[in-house]
């Protein structure tokens, strides 16, 4: 059985207009909340308080949708995480854990998601605190942010019917290399389905032998939805756990007769409050009991942990994640904030002709044909005297 066969044919898809509407509603909410949260991040702010505020905003905004339909479930699809500098992902501390305070010059990654009726929109965005047109970011921070941004832009142009998941992985690797950076190992993008944030079809962020063995090559198909997650590091791309406690979990769908009463009560509350979506145990009614109950649940694999992962000290990790719908007239990106390239001045750039051409393509399906020819012409001009730039063949 291939990964293509594993897509659940019984679940509703974006072939239905109503499903597209629900995805777009969830996307509008995460984009709005993300924009507000970027504005809330200031030097001296507590990361914990910001994560709490992000979750509060997601809950409030999703609560306004489909008010009359009491049975329709909506809410947080991925709790707000704010990972700074060399922290790769999933940082959202408990009340009982040490906090992090933001400082000027910090490289900040905000990651979050919302759903309407189980249709999930996720997003992640990277920015540097205090960056401005007058004082742009330079050096390694600029390199890694530009690498992740351009790899994300390339991925958007590659995730379309007929292309393969390995095309995205290879291009992320090449763009990272151009900026003397590495894609983070062990990170995976998934297809999204109703109530499923980690579908069976994946895109590896990094070309490692171990990851290649674990995943299958597959083609993108019409009416699929993907959460495309790009993470790039100025270090060697390897991740490690440290002393920050894991706070984000989700149900695995496996069953086990939990022995401890605390674990059973906690798991019952999780099932009722969050269903199949990832959640932060800080949002549970009693954090202390949740911390006790989660141990047995993870041990017997009824809950999956999203560990807080780190790169080496002194390195920087940038992340961009977007949700994309494979529509008949082309891929439709529904989450993500505009990126201001004028704030980042890297001395490095992408020189691979094929990738330069790809990045100049419009993501507006109607404009693509005209702009593709213009892009090829521009690249040919830029590389005059060098080896001719490869032409991009449409799939």
């Amino acid at each position: 059985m291939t990964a293509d066969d594993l897509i659940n044919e019984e679940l509703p898809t974006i072939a239905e207009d109503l499903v597209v509407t629900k995805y777009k509603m969830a996307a509008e909410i995460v984009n709005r909340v993300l924009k507000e949260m970027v504005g809330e991040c200031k030097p001296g702010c507590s990361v914990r308080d910001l994560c709490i505020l992000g979750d509060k905003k997601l809950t409030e905004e999703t609560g306004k949708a489909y008010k009359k339909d009491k049975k329709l479930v909506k809410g947080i699809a991925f709790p707000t995480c704010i990972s700074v500098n060399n922290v790769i992902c999933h940082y959202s501390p408990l009340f009982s854990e040490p906090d992090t305070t933001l400082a000027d010059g910090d490289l900040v990654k905000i990651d979050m998601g919302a759903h309407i009726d189980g249709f999930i929109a996720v997003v992640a965005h990277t920015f540097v605190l205090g960056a401005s047109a007058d004082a742009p970011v330079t050096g390694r921070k600029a390199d890694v942010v530009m690498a992740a941004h351009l790899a994300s832009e390339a991925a958007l142009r590659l995730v379309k019917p007929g292309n393969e998941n390995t095309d995205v992985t290879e291009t992320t690797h090449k763009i990272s290399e151009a900026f003397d950076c590495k894609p983070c190992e062990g990170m995976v993008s998934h297809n999204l389905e109703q109530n499923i944030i980690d579908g069976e079809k994946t895109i590896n962020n990094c070309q490692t032998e171990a990851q290649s063995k674990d995943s299958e090559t597959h083609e993108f198909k019409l009416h699929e939805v993907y959460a495309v997650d790009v993470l790039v590091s100025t270090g060697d791309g390897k991740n490690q756990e440290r002393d920050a406690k894991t706070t984000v979990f989700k149900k695995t769908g496996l069953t086990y007769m939990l022995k401890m009463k605390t674990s059973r009560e906690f798991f019952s509350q999780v099932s009722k409050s969050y269903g199949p979506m990832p959640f932060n145990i800080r949002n549970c009614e009693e954090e202390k009991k949740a911390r006790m109950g989660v141990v047995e649940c993870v041990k017997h694999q009824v809950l999956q942990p999203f560990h807080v992962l780190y790169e080496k000290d002194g390195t920087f990790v940038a992340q961009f994640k977007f949700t994309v719908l494979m529509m008949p007239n082309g891929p439709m990106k529904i989450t993500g904030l505009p990126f201001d390239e004028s704030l980042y001045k890297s001395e490095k750039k992408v020189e691979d002709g094929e990738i330069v051409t790809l990045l100049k393509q419009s993501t507006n399906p109607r404009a693509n044909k005209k702009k593709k020819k213009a892009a090829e012409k521009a690249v040919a001009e830029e590389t005059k005297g060098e080896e001719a730039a490869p032409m991009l063949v449409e799939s």
Side-chain angles (χ1 to χ4, degrees):
M1 185 184 260
T2 68
D4 290 354
D5 302 323
L6 293 164
I7 298 295
N8 192 333
E9 286 174 15
E10 289 170 29
L11 289 173
T13 73
I14 53 170
E16 298 172 41
D17 289 347
L18 182 58
V19 172
V20 174
T21 301
K22 287 173 180 174
Y23 271 116
K24 283 181 169 177
M25 283 177 84
E28 278 171 23
I29 289 166
V30 294
N31 288 337
R32 187 161 62 245
V33 173
L34 174 63
K35 190 178 178 186
E36 288 173 10
M37 290 311 300
V38 170
E40 293 284 352
C41 290
K42 296 180 181 75
C45 285
S46 146
V47 167
R48 182 197 295 125
D49 290 351
L50 289 165
C51 290
I52 291 167
L53 179 62
D55 286 354
K56 181 170 174 270
K57 285 175 181 283
L58 289 172
T59 304
E60 282 172 2
E61 292 299 318
T62 50
K64 294 172 188 172
Y66 287 98
K67 272 193 164 172
K68 287 177 184 169
D69 189 344
K70 299 292 179 209
K71 285 182 183 169
L72 189 139
V73 180
K74 65 245 173 160
I76 296 172
F78 198 86
T80 309
C81 295
I82 300 179
S83 306
V84 178
N85 296 330
N86 66 313
V87 186
I88 300 173
C89 56
H90 307 149
Y91 185 81
S92 186
L94 304 176
F95 290 110
S96 55
E97 289 296 308
D99 195 2
T100 296
T101 303
L102 294 181
D104 199 48
D106 275 348
L107 187 150
V108 181
K109 299 170 285 293
I110 304 181
D111 187 3
M112 60 174 60
H115 76 97
I116 302 290
D117 194 21
F119 297 105
I120 299 162
V122 287
V123 71
H125 185 73
T126 297
F127 60 101
V128 174
L129 270 191
S132 67
D134 297 332
V137 179
T138 57
R140 298 301 279 148
K141 283 182 204 169
D143 294 343
V144 76
V145 173
M146 285 306 299
H149 162 65
L150 292 175
S152 162
E153 287 295 309
L156 174 61
R157 289 154 176 80
L158 289 168
V159 179
K160 60 181 184 181
N163 285 357
E164 292 185 341
N165 55 347
T166 50
D167 300 336
V168 180
T169 311
E170 284 164 18
T171 306
T172 300
H173 176 76
K174 286 176 185 172
I175 293 174
S176 300
E177 232 175 19
F179 287 88
D180 197 17
C181 293
K182 292 267 173 72
C184 296
E185 292 180 14
M187 304 292 140
V188 180
S189 300
H190 292 269
N191 71 297
L192 301 172
E193 296 180 79
Q194 189 178 26
N195 294 313
I196 301 171
I197 200 166
D198 52 355
E200 297 286 350
K201 293 183 80 172
T202 59
I203 308 165
N204 287 338
N205 186 59
C206 184
Q207 296 170 304
T208 62
E209 240 178 273
Q211 266 193 293
S212 301
K213 280 177 190 167
D214 290 345
S215 63
E216 287 188 9
T217 299
H218 62 80
E219 266 192 22
F220 301 115
K221 298 280 176 72
L222 185 65
H223 297 141
E224 288 179 344
V225 181
Y226 280 84
V228 180
D229 196 5
V230 174
L231 295 107
V232 178
S233 169
T234 59
D236 58 13
K238 296 191 182 337
N239 64 65
Q240 55 183 278
E241 287 175 55
R242 290 201 189 162
D243 45 6
K245 288 268 195 319
T246 302
T247 60
V248 179
F249 301 86
K250 78 174 258 305
K251 286 171 66 176
T252 59
L254 300 175
T255 53
Y256 176 80
M257 286 297 291
L258 296 162
K259 306 282 186 288
M260 286 170 56
K261 187 182 175 213
T262 317
S263 307
R264 291 196 300 273
E265 285 175 356
F266 163 69
F267 190 72
S268 168
Q269 189 207 330
V270 163
S271 302
K272 202 167 92 184
S273 304
Y274 309 109
M277 300 296 168
F279 62 93
N280 190 316
I281 55 174
R282 188 189 54 234
N283 296 336
C284 294
E285 284 160 25
E286 292 180 69
E287 187 191 294
K288 193 178 175 186
K289 281 190 175 175
R291 287 202 335 263
M292 287 165 63
V294 79
V295 177
E296 191 185 0
C297 294
V298 170
K299 186 183 175 186
H300 295 290
Q301 297 178 349
V302 294
L303 285 183
Q304 168 196 340
F306 290 79
H307 296 299
V308 184
L309 299 175
Y310 291 79
E311 246 281 20
K312 289 194 182 85
D313 288 337
T315 61
F316 300 101
V317 175
Q319 175 189 26
F320 290 94
K321 179 176 4 179
F322 61 88
T323 304
V324 62
L325 314 183
M326 305 282 172
M327 302 298 284
N329 63 341
M332 181 196 286
K333 178 184 174 183
I334 57 170
T335 63
L337 293 184
F339 179 81
D340 187 351
E341 282 196 29
S342 70
L343 301 181
Y344 301 91
K345 296 279 181 256
S346 170
E347 290 175 15
K348 301 173 176 68
K349 63 176 185 174
V350 174
E351 290 179 355
D352 181 310
E354 201 170 335
I355 295 174
V356 172
T357 305
L358 177 73
L359 290 167
K360 287 192 175 178
Q361 268 189 38
S362 166
T363 49
N364 172 354
R366 288 189 193 91
N368 261 341
K369 289 225 162 90
K370 287 180 196 166
K371 290 210 177 170
K372 178 175 160 278
K373 285 186 179 144
E376 281 171 354
K377 192 179 171 191
V379 171
E381 291 292 320
E382 276 176 34
T383 53
K384 250 186 191 165
E386 297 172 30
E387 210 175 305
M391 301 298 265
L392 196 74
V393 183
E394 272 194 298
S395 50

